[in-house]
C-alpha cells in the first residue's frame, strides 16, 4: 500500500495462493525482478536484485488504517537469497543483517 504497487497487474502465486498473516487471510501475489536497496551502518546504500518478492493483498475489504500498524516484512526467503544472517538481541534492543557476500 505504501509503495502504491498496482496489485491488479500481479499474478497470484501458483504454489501458495493464500496465506495467513497477522490474523488475516491474504492472496499472495508475485512481483518479479525486484531491485532492493538497503543502507549499511555507515549510511551507504547497497543495491541488489531479487528474482521476486511476495506482495500480500487482503482477501476481504479492510480499511487501510487497520493495516497501518503492520510493518512491511521481508521473509527468510530474502535472507536466503543473498546469504544474510539476522542477528537479533531484544535485551540490547539490537538487530542487524550480516552478509559475507555483500
Amino acid at each position: 500500500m505504501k509503495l502504491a504497487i498496482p496489485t491488479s497487474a500481479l499474478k497470484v502465486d501458483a504454489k501458495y495462493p493464500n496465506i495467513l498473516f497477522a490474523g488475516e487471510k491474504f492472496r499472495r501475489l508475485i512481483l518479479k525482478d525486484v531491485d532492493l536497496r538497503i543502507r549499511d551502518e555507515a549510511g551507504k546504500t547497497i543495491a541488489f536484485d531479487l528474482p521476486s518478492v511476495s506482495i500480500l493483498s487482503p482477501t476481504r475489504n479492510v480499511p487501510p488504517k487497520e493495516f497501518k500498524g503492520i510493518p512491511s516484512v521481508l521473509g527468510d526467503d530474502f535472507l536466503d537469497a543473498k546469504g544474510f544472517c539476522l542477528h537479533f538481541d531484544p535485551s540490547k534492543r539490537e538487530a542487524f543483517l550480516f552478509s559475507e557476500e555483500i
Side-chain angles (χ1 to χ4, degrees):
M1 288 179 197
K2 290 178 184 177
L3 297 176
I5 295 170
T7 57
S8 61
L10 302 177
K11 294 187 179 191
V12 176
D13 180 67
K15 189 172 182 180
Y16 301 106
N18 295 301
I19 67 162
L20 294 176
F21 179 71
E24 291 289 334
K25 186 175 179 182
F26 293 87
R27 283 183 315 142
R28 183 171 172 242
L29 308 171
I30 301 299
L31 179 63
K32 294 186 181 261
D33 302 319
V34 176
D35 180 28
L36 189 63
R37 292 180 166 90
I38 59 174
R39 289 202 172 117
D40 67 13
E41 64 274 4
K44 178 184 169 192
T45 301
I46 300 168
F48 51 90
D49 297 325
L50 292 173
S52 67
V53 295
S54 295
I55 305 294
L56 303 182
S57 178
T59 57
R60 65 181 180 99
N61 192 7
V62 179
K65 67 180 180 177
E66 286 193 31
F67 292 109
K68 191 173 186 173
I70 300 174
S72 296
V73 176
L74 288 173
D76 63 356
D77 51 344
F78 156 74
L79 298 173
D80 190 45
K82 292 298 173 183
F84 281 109
C85 296
L86 173 64
H87 171 81
F88 178 61
D89 186 343
S91 66
K92 293 181 180 178
R93 300 183 55 89
E94 177 179 84
F96 61 86
L97 296 175
F98 175 78
S99 175
E100 293 183 11
E101 295 179 25
I102 297 178

